[in-house]
Amino acid sequence: MSALAKSYEPSAVEEKWYAWWLEHRHFLADPASPKPAYSLVIPPPNVTGVLTLGHVLNNTIQDILARRARLTGHEVLWLPGTDHAGIATQTVVERALRKQEKKTRHDLGREEFLKRVWQWKEKHGGIIIAQLKKLGCSCDWSRERFTMDTAYARRVQEIFVDLYHQGLIYRGKRMVNWCPVSLTALSDEEVIPKPQKGYLYHFKVEVIDQPDTFLEIATTRPETIMGDTAVAVNPRDPRYRHLIGKTARRPLPIENQATLPIIGDEAVDFEFGTGVLKVTPAHDKADYEIGLRHGLPMVDILNPNGTLNELAGEDFAGLDRFEARVEAVEKLRELGVLVKEEPYENNVGFSERTDVPIEPRLSEQWFLRYPRTAEARAAVRDGLIQFFPERWERVYDHWLENIQDWCISRQLWWGHRIPVWYRETNGTSPVRDQDRETSVLCQIDPPGEGWVQDPDVLDTWFSSWLWAHETMDEPTRKKFYPTSALVTGPDIIFFWVARMIMAGLEYMRDVPFRQVYFTGIIRDKQGRKMSKSLGNSPDPLDLIAKYGADGLRYGLMRIAPQGQDIRFDEQQIVEGRNFCNKLWNACRFRMLQGPVDPEANPFRHELSIFAKNLLSMLHEATCRIETGYANYRFSEIAQTLYDFVWSEFCDRFIEAAKADLGDPARKAGTLATTDYTLRRVLLLLHPFTPFVTEELWHGLGFGPGSVQFAGWPQAEEIAREPNAEAVFRAATLARTLRANYNIPSNRRLRWLVQPQESWVTAELAVLRALLNAESVEPVDGQPAGAAACPTEIGV
RNA sequence: GGGCAGGUAGCUCAGCGGUAGAGCGGCAGUCUUACACACUGUUGGUCGGGGGUUCGAUCCCCUCCCUGCCCACCA
């Protein structure tokens, strides 16, 4: 290791040390360790996913916390794993099946299809794990978990059974968000509202009891007219009040122009549209409520896949919902009841996964009334759990305050099967009887002949909400639960964070984590979210290949202020790489000066003003870094290290040392200061750039152990040395003077200084080095004919 | 309709009551024997607009304008 390459070459170094860490079992967490515990659980990525920049940010932060905790003497558990990601994974496998074999999952049947998904998981499931290793993540890989592992899956079902028997899980026919593409119900959190340009269609209906009186209705969904079962107005609306109780004629379908009651309901906003509402209880949440209040029939005119059924009438049956909209408008026009179409923009709910408009649909599903909501709110309000940045606490609280029951059943095959059994009646389909006592059993094991299991599976989050404790065995929990911190994106605060808190409180009687750090979202230079379809998401693996894992990590961390969104710019990663290279070369410089003393203690030497000043700056930087960790301000830590290493250590101290090392009186102290500082810099930097620091740690002879167990440096306070600063500023002034006279920087000059104070004379050799000068000599009075400028050390 | 975050040099971001900062870029010099992934010097900003508090505001208050996000059953 005597000859370091001229520039840092990451790839071989990274591979070598990662293998070395694994070989020495450095990432394994020992529940029996006497050291204090520090623990993290990874937010499990989708098992079939690939690494994105978001993962890089998130996992770099976790790795920084884990490595820093090892340095501060903790026993660290960073528990990794993956999520089965129900809809996402099933969709991917179905797509492949359709492409390669032209088959649907129904062609294969449930059992065979699930076999295929497992095969797919075996084949693609390891990718993201391997990528995390490339990044340098120090997870305890021996504990890798998957949300469909046998033991984990068993617990998911046990918890379902428990909540069922507590009466918190129930089945009911309710209005749910239905995805016509994946053919399943979704939770409210999986629906993304998007503004859509469309039309507000005005049409009129005749009041039957008062011929020639028409009510004008405004709607964005004329294709649901066939499912209308009432017309509603606000009972306080003087325009229409008198019509309540009368009836109107529904225009569509033409062969079945039903008679609709005109009802009064407070939910109708008379400011909106015409103040008259068509009520479609089967296809709109608000209308459903009105329907319930007035005992209206619910006419479901849609098939699960979004096409209209025979109840919509012969003109519409079989049409897709959007074709039907066009057709319905056409028919209204033909009937002469279409008044106008005005351009209109409204919010339409889209499926998060398939990106198609969801359909409010009446269907029988399983719901969970959340446990421990009050405690969950209190936990955060009372500081049992701390959020960083703090502002998310209010977002969290607001959601819990208005919490709705969670639709947990999904009409998918890939996932945890609902542990509920129905008595079989005629051997074909399960009876969905409301009477639990006689025909429904909630238990994991099959109850025997005559019972069939509910075909549905559970929402993926119903398994992930147990992640913080069900991934651990008993001794591990004892040592490591609650976890120290959770690092995740604010986009899953409801999906995951809040639910995990409730699950932890319910099943562990304690919160799952003490602190939550919410990262920012990585955007492109135009501020757009990274996405596959936009193609604006660089492949982190390419970036690692180009700049090294450390360069990527460091570059990203330096621009990621606390919880603020990040505009990604590859230039930042270039700078990360350059910084690693700078550090590399600083160490190279040191190695050229002879053997390093790992035990170096500069305080036992006579020190130059430059050494003292550097040590003072080191102390300040160490303190600032300490504060940075306490507040999860990673960019501040990275920037502090950047400034210290580059400006203070390289640009100033080393440049001055080039003279001091040639001075026998100063050499020993300067070397000791260098060794002492480098050792600390490597320790402080290791969480951010683990590979290059490990390489240099050994290269400089600080080994043989890993840098990550070498202990966190204590800051030793020492006063600033203003004289050193004065010399550096004088050098800058002198260089400016030279530049102003257009003297090329390679021309060696003779400089004269009229020392202001006696100490200055002793530093002229340093000044000569800083100026790359022929000579710097003291004079007594200003020579004529020379350019000059005043400085703090003399003219 | 409510709420949150942000608008500082060409770009990415610090600063958050006391004469505007960094890196990159631009420009001009340098292969000065650790580093051209570098060194030196330099050029860039009425700190989103308008009011107010203050001896003094990028920083505090009010208001407005943009951008992004979250929540909300206005068809």
Side-chain angles (χ1 to χ4, degrees):
Chain A
M1 193 27 49
S2 54
L4 243 51
K6 198 168 174 183
S7 63
Y8 174 54
E9 297 297 339
S11 62
V13 170
E14 289 172 3
E15 210 159 306
K16 175 178 71 180
W17 290 114
Y18 203 83
W20 189 81
W21 291 327
L22 291 181
E23 191 194 318
H24 288 79
R25 307 163 74 81
H26 281 338
F27 304 156
L28 297 192
D30 177 10
S33 165
K35 294 185 200 170
Y38 187 91
S39 54
L40 300 155
V41 291
I42 203 169
N46 288 2
V47 65
T48 58
V50 292
L51 200 70
T52 64
L53 277 175
H55 293 122
V56 172
L57 175 68
N58 183 250
N59 289 289
T60 297
I61 291 170
Q62 291 175 74
D63 198 45
I64 288 170
L65 293 173
R67 288 175 187 273
R68 139 104 173 163
R70 286 190 196 98
L71 279 163
T72 52
H74 291 80
E75 183 66 21
V76 173
L77 166 63
W78 182 11
L79 199 153
T82 50
D83 190 298
H84 68 283
I87 299 181
T89 307
Q90 175 164 325
T91 308
V92 172
V93 177
E94 283 186 289
R95 195 179 303 139
L97 197 62
R98 198 159 47 239
K99 213 167 146 191
Q100 286 157 19
E101 303 176 37
K102 308 240 179 302
K103 284 184 183 163
T104 68
R105 70 179 205 256
H106 300 281
D107 294 332
L108 293 184
R110 187 166 189 143
E111 207 172 314
E112 178 59 25
F113 177 74
L114 286 178
K115 223 183 267 174
R116 299 294 185 93
V117 183
W118 277 103
Q119 282 169 11
W120 182 276
K121 184 253 172 189
E122 293 313 320
K123 199 170 157 199
H124 302 276
I127 294 176
I128 195 157
I129 296 296
Q131 291 177 320
L132 287 170
K133 291 177 181 172
K134 285 246 172 223
L135 229 204
C137 294
S138 57
C139 304
D140 182 348
W141 299 110
S142 73
R143 295 169 179 272
E144 188 183 331
R145 297 286 185 271
F146 178 49
T147 49
M148 293 281 279
D149 286 342
T150 314
Y152 194 96
R154 174 105 195 159
R155 281 297 289 157
V156 171
Q157 292 197 317
E158 280 171 14
I159 277 162
F160 181 100
V161 173
D162 177 69
L163 291 166
Y164 176 87
H165 290 304
Q166 284 191 50
L168 294 174
I169 285 181
Y170 62 93
R171 192 168 52 131
K173 196 162 190 178
R174 296 268 208 95
M175 208 48 150
V176 295
N177 307 300
W178 183 262
C179 173
V181 169
S182 39
L183 303 180
T184 178
L186 300 173
S187 67
D188 294 343
E189 287 70 31
E190 290 165 286
V191 178
I192 317 286
K194 290 191 191 182
Q196 289 297 298
K197 285 196 168 71
Y199 291 91
L200 192 58
Y201 303 94
H202 291 244
F203 67 100
K204 53 187 182 179
V205 293
E206 187 173 18
V207 179
I208 297 171
D209 328 59
Q210 263 177 254
D212 294 329
T213 307
F214 290 89
L215 279 174
E216 190 175 319
I217 300 176
T219 180
T220 54
R221 301 206 61 190
E223 72 277 18
T224 62
I225 290 175
M226 297 76 80
D228 288 355
T229 53
V231 171
V233 298
N234 193 303
R236 289 177 295 130
D237 190 335
R239 294 171 295 178
Y240 309 117
R241 202 166 33 201
H242 62 283
L243 295 173
I244 294 172
K246 301 202 169 16
T247 53
R249 187 172 310 286
R250 185 181 71 190
L252 298 173
I254 291 167
E255 71 272 20
N256 177 22
Q257 294 189 332
T259 303
L260 305 179
I262 298 171
I263 58 175
D265 195 288
E266 291 286 346
V268 181
D269 178 357
F270 48 84
E271 306 268 303
F272 184 88
T274 57
V276 185
L277 175 69
K278 67 191 258 316
V279 185
T280 325
H283 299 294
D284 184 280
K285 249 183 184 163
D287 290 8
Y288 173 70
E289 301 292 330
I290 295 175
L292 283 184
R293 282 196 287 272
H294 297 268
L296 298 174
M298 318 259 166
V299 180
D300 186 344
I301 58 164
L302 283 171
N303 294 314
N305 68 359
T307 57
L308 278 68
N309 62 29
E310 58 285 353
L311 289 177
E314 57 191 27
D315 290 332
F316 297 100
L319 289 184
D320 178 77
R321 52 193 167 142
F322 301 109
E323 297 166 357
R325 181 174 304 171
V326 177
E327 186 61 22
V329 174
E330 200 45 49
K331 287 278 180 289
L332 291 174
R333 188 174 285 126
E334 283 171 20
L335 290 169
V337 296
L338 186 70
V339 180
K340 63 177 172 183
E341 306 164 65
E342 53 182 18
Y344 185 68
E345 190 175 292
N346 66 338
N347 276 327
V348 176
F350 277 67
S351 158
E352 188 198 23
R353 288 283 159 208
T354 57
D355 202 34
V356 295
I358 62 109
E359 203 52 61
R361 182 165 185 253
L362 204 53
S363 83
E364 191 145 42
Q365 302 288 345
W366 287 94
F367 296 89
L368 168 69
R369 194 172 310 125
Y370 288 97
R372 313 252 167 202
T373 51
E375 275 172 73
R377 288 180 74 188
V380 172
R381 196 188 326 111
D382 302 342
L384 216 59
I385 300 173
Q386 251 182 308
F387 283 6
F388 296 86
E390 207 178 347
R391 65 186 140 92
W392 296 111
E393 292 183 1
R394 258 178 302 166
V395 176
Y396 166 87
D397 195 67
H398 184 252
W399 184 73
L400 273 169
E401 189 184 351
N402 301 292
I403 196 160
Q404 305 283 315
D405 290 355
W406 175 12
C407 174
I408 53 174
S409 45
R410 296 290 177 277
Q411 287 65 54
L412 304 173
W413 288 354
W414 174 240
H416 301 92
R417 188 87 176 256
I418 290 180
V420 168
W421 308 80
Y422 306 97
R423 186 178 287 287
E424 215 166 342
T425 47
N426 48 21
T428 48
S429 60
V431 170
R432 295 210 151 192
D433 196 313
Q434 295 293 352
D435 185 357
R436 291 197 176 119
E437 294 305 313
T438 59
S439 60
V440 177
L441 270 179
C442 181
Q443 62 182 59
I444 297 173
D445 303 316
E449 275 299 302
W451 293 85
V452 289
Q453 190 170 6
D454 191 297
D456 292 352
V457 300
L458 290 162
D459 181 3
T460 303
W461 297 103
F462 192 88
S463 65
S464 352
W465 75 327
L466 310 173
W467 189 250
H469 45 272
E470 295 308 329
T471 47
M472 299 182 189
D473 58 20
E474 208 38 56
T476 308
R477 278 185 205 160
K478 205 153 177 259
K479 177 80 181 172
F480 293 108
Y481 188 95
T483 60
S484 313
L486 179 76
V487 179
T488 190
D491 47 336
I492 54 174
I493 187 166
F494 311 136
F495 278 118
W496 199 47
V497 180
R499 288 168 179 167
M500 257 201 293
I501 293 173
M502 291 185 268
L505 289 168
E506 175 70 17
Y507 290 102
M508 295 295 293
R509 294 291 136 91
D510 200 351
V511 294
F513 27 72
R514 296 284 181 221
Q515 302 191 315
V516 185
Y517 175 78
F518 290 103
T519 66
I521 309 234
I522 301 192
R523 303 177 175 284
D524 69 6
K525 279 192 92 167
Q526 285 112 64
R528 300 174 304 181
K529 218 169 157 169
M530 296 283 181
S531 84
K532 264 186 228 152
S533 53
L534 278 172
N536 59 353
S537 176
D539 182 348
L541 274 295
D542 290 346
L543 294 170
I544 289 176
K546 275 168 86 176
Y547 307 111
D550 289 335
L552 174 61
R553 291 167 59 121
Y554 195 81
L556 207 52
M557 292 317 299
R558 203 159 69 96
I559 54 161
Q562 195 198 53
Q564 219 64 63
D565 285 2
I566 295 143
R567 288 191 185 226
F568 181 76
D569 181 354
E570 193 165 322
Q571 181 57 38
Q572 304 296 328
I573 311 305
V574 172
E575 286 173 35
R577 176 205 55 185
N578 293 355
F579 178 68
C580 292
N581 189 241
K582 189 72 183 176
L583 176 73
W584 178 264
N585 275 291
C587 293
R588 253 185 95 207
F589 173 80
R590 173 59 190 88
M591 286 164 76
L592 295 174
Q593 314 303 319
V596 172
D597 176 10
E599 310 289 325
N601 182 354
F603 299 99
R604 286 209 290 263
H605 293 80
E606 197 62 38
L607 297 176
S608 73
I609 53 172
F610 308 105
K612 286 189 212 161
N613 200 237
L614 180 78
L615 292 170
S616 168
M617 302 296 272
L618 175 63
H619 166 253
E620 278 179 33
T622 308
C623 293
R624 212 168 312 130
I625 288 165
E626 213 54 54
T627 317
Y629 275 112
N631 300 304
Y632 289 89
R633 303 190 73 113
F634 299 103
S635 63
E636 223 166 273
I637 299 169
Q639 189 58 40
T640 299
L641 285 163
Y642 189 95
D643 290 342
F644 178 75
V645 170
W646 205 302
S647 308
E648 291 306 324
F649 187 68
C650 294
D651 290 351
R652 303 176 114 187
F653 177 75
I654 288 186
E655 290 309 318
K658 284 176 180 172
D660 283 345
L661 287 170
D663 179 344
R666 292 181 173 189
K667 183 168 181 179
T670 301
L671 278 182
T673 304
T674 310
D675 295 352
Y676 175 92
T677 304
L678 274 178
R679 186 171 185 279
R680 277 161 170 68
V681 162
L682 293 180
L683 291 169
L684 295 169
L685 216 40
H686 179 259
F688 286 74
T689 56
F691 295 108
V692 69
T693 49
E694 188 78 89
E695 172 77 2
L696 290 168
W697 183 260
H698 293 266
L700 289 171
F702 293 126
S706 170
V707 56
Q708 68 193 301
F709 297 107
W712 192 251
Q714 295 301 308
E716 295 182 55
E717 191 159 6
I718 163 172
R720 287 265 196 122
E721 192 56 71
N723 290 349
E725 306 271 344
V727 171
F728 291 127
R729 278 195 293 270
T732 300
L733 287 166
R735 289 171 187 145
T736 308
L737 185 67
R738 174 171 64 191
N740 287 345
Y741 282 84
N742 289 320
I743 301 167
S745 46
N746 62 345
R747 214 174 118 204
R748 300 188 150 230
L749 301 177
R750 292 179 58 223
W751 296 86
L752 301 172
V753 176
Q754 187 185 339
Q756 202 116 88
E757 289 174 51
S758 56
W759 63 268
V760 174
T761 320
E763 308 303 340
L764 294 183
V766 169
L767 203 53
R768 192 184 72 83
L770 294 177
L771 294 174
N772 189 33
E774 175 72 36
S775 65
V776 180
E777 287 155 30
V779 290
D780 206 14
Q782 197 177 331
C789 65
T791 72
E792 294 159 75
I793 62 170
V795 179

